[in-house]
Amino acid sequence: MLKLTLSLKPIFTPTTLLPPLTTNMLPYFWFLLSFNLLSKVSAHCTTSTATKTFEKCTTLPSQDASIAWTFHPHNATLDLVFFGSFISPSGWVAWGINPDSPGMTGTRALIAFPDPNSGQVVLLPYILDPNVKLQKSQLLSRPLDIHLLSSSATLYGGRLATIHRGAAIQIHATFKLVANKTKIHYVWNRGLYVQGYSPTIHPTTNSDLSSVTTIDVMSGTAETTHSNIHTLKMVHGVLNAISWGVLLPVGVVVARYLRHFQSLGPAWFYFHAGVQLLAILLGTTGFAIGIRLGQMSSGTVYGLHRKLGISAFCLGSLQTLALLFRPKTTNKYRKYWKSYHHFVGYACVVLGVVNVFQGFEVMGEGRSYAKLSYCLSLSTLIGICIALEVNAWVIFCRKAEEDKLRREGLIVGSEKASTISHNFIH
């Protein structure tokens, strides 16, 4: 039988409110200030709580969370406390262990949140199966199938111990481990709101998606699960931003505008083809890394980002294959191939740029300098396109005027250049 208890211990009570500050009250003021600051840093590694002292502690790699514990080898019992904080007055904070693997799916969790009826903190057990992670069903409380001996939640943070953004909470748990198994997979997270007694999905920033670690409770050493995930994400993002977000549009600009400069001859085509092939090679590498990241983060699905990425990759592959079937200029099907090539190319560029921005959001870099740098690069490219488009229209208008004058017999042979120049000057 699962035993749940709740202990609410506000820092301030009506009898300890700060009286009007005077000179002789300064020591009292500094005492309360230092006590409040101490409670704010409690999320960092500490072995002491108001009721118990633990042997070991460690700071967790995300969300300013930490844990402290005492392991009793003689009976394989682990006494533990998790330090976390809320991100919303109606949110939730969860901590749990995964007996099978270092991941969210399969975690046996204890989740604290405000009771929808009383407003007081409740702590309920949940099992996170794949259907819940993929949002196919609501997360409903049910007894845990591990040897949990006791659990409780203690809320701190002032404001008469009410839940607010930044309010600190401690989740205590005592459970019996499997014999000779001291490496525990810890999982933790927090969300914005709860529907009834069902916590909703948490945010998907880097901090939220990296809230898992493996710790040996005997030695206190932590293992970095998928330590290269962050590096792979950065490489994936950089490669795709450069290929789909920069090089591919540059290749389109080259084909659209430089082909009209007769002095370049066929050089524009080789430049265009080279840039596009380089973009496809880098983009394919980034796409492959994205597939690998999906395998390493089973159950974590970025639906829109994935669909856009697959679509852009397929269109880019079609563009590459189209080079093998490019008809000669005298072929009657050449015009159809050109229409197809232009349509697929522009669609690929649009999908690629949109997905780059989507990727910034997925990585939690929506307001980063990296996104700002990309926006500046894209803006510069757009500015160049506008300037070249204006130049193209000027050339088109000059040629149209020249053809009109030729038809009217106003210019012939060598007089063409001087007449056109004279007409546009005046």
Side-chain angles (χ1 to χ4, degrees), residues 33-353:
L33 179 60
S34 61
F35 188 76
N36 191 32
L37 290 175
L38 180 61
S39 68
K40 289 184 178 181
V41 299
S42 63
H44 299 286
C45 181
T46 178
T47 57
S48 300
T49 66
T51 59
K52 189 176 294 186
T53 300
F54 299 87
E55 292 181 355
K56 295 182 176 67
C57 72
T58 186
T59 301
L60 298 176
S62 67
Q63 301 181 357
D64 292 326
S66 65
I67 57 172
W69 72 93
T70 299
F71 177 62
H72 307 281
H74 64 281
N75 59 2
T77 301
L78 181 65
D79 195 12
L80 181 144
V81 59
F82 167 79
F83 300 89
S85 60
F86 286 89
I87 57 173
S88 169
S90 57
W92 54 267
V93 176
W95 169 88
I97 64 172
N98 192 323
D100 302 318
S101 61
M104 175 179 171
T105 302
T107 297
R108 278 61 172 173
L110 296 172
I111 305 181
F113 55 87
D115 189 294
N117 298 318
S118 65
Q120 299 297 313
V121 175
V122 295
L123 183 69
L124 297 177
Y126 296 84
I127 298 179
L128 309 182
D129 55 40
N131 289 333
V132 171
K133 187 164 186 178
L134 296 176
Q135 303 180 56
K136 294 182 178 179
S137 61
Q138 285 188 326
L139 180 60
L140 301 177
S141 178
R142 51 175 164 161
L144 304 182
D145 54 358
I146 59 176
H147 298 289
L148 181 65
L149 305 179
S150 66
S151 61
S152 63
T154 305
L155 180 67
Y156 291 93
R159 299 189 183 181
L160 300 180
T162 59
I163 297 177
H164 58 278
R165 178 179 175 86
I169 190 169
Q170 299 174 4
I171 298 178
H172 300 257
T174 301
F175 55 93
K176 190 176 181 63
L177 301 180
V178 178
N180 299 322
K181 184 177 181 180
T182 59
K183 289 185 178 181
I184 307 298
H185 307 303
Y186 295 104
V187 181
W188 64 98
N189 225 307
R190 52 194 181 180
L192 293 171
Y193 60 96
V194 179
Q195 293 179 344
Y197 290 90
S198 176
T200 60
I201 187 171
H202 56 75
T204 55
T205 64
N206 278 340
S207 175
D208 299 292
L209 298 178
S210 60
S211 54
V212 57
T213 190
T214 302
I215 299 177
D216 190 322
V217 295
M218 177 70 77
S219 63
T221 58
E223 298 179 0
T224 304
T225 306
H226 294 324
S227 59
N228 60 338
I229 279 187
H230 181 70
T231 301
L232 286 178
K233 283 183 177 180
M234 295 301 296
V235 174
H236 169 75
V238 170
L239 286 179
N240 286 338
I242 293 175
S243 58
W244 305 105
V246 177
L247 291 180
L248 214 61
V250 167
V252 171
V253 171
V254 169
R256 178 171 176 80
Y257 300 109
L258 297 190
R259 65 188 304 172
H260 299 293
F261 291 89
Q262 296 181 357
S263 59
L264 294 178
W268 72 266
F269 173 77
Y270 298 112
F271 188 25
H272 164 72
V275 171
Q276 298 299 71
L277 286 176
L278 178 60
I280 292 298
L281 288 175
L282 294 179
T284 300
T285 305
F287 181 78
I289 294 175
I291 297 296
R292 177 56 181 160
L293 285 171
Q295 295 173 347
M296 296 172 67
S297 307
S298 58
T300 302
V301 179
Y302 304 105
L304 179 59
H305 185 60
R306 173 176 291 183
K307 292 175 183 177
L308 290 173
I310 293 175
S311 300
F313 176 75
C314 291
L315 292 178
S317 300
L318 286 175
Q319 282 291 77
T320 305
L321 292 175
L323 292 175
L324 303 177
F325 304 99
R326 185 166 64 103
K328 295 182 179 180
T329 55
T330 56
N331 193 301
K332 64 178 181 179
Y333 296 107
R334 174 76 176 201
K335 61 180 180 180
Y336 301 110
W337 181 89
K338 287 181 63 176
S339 298
Y340 152 81
H341 188 65
H342 291 167
F343 174 78
V344 174
Y346 286 125
C348 187
V349 168
V350 171
L351 288 177
V353 171

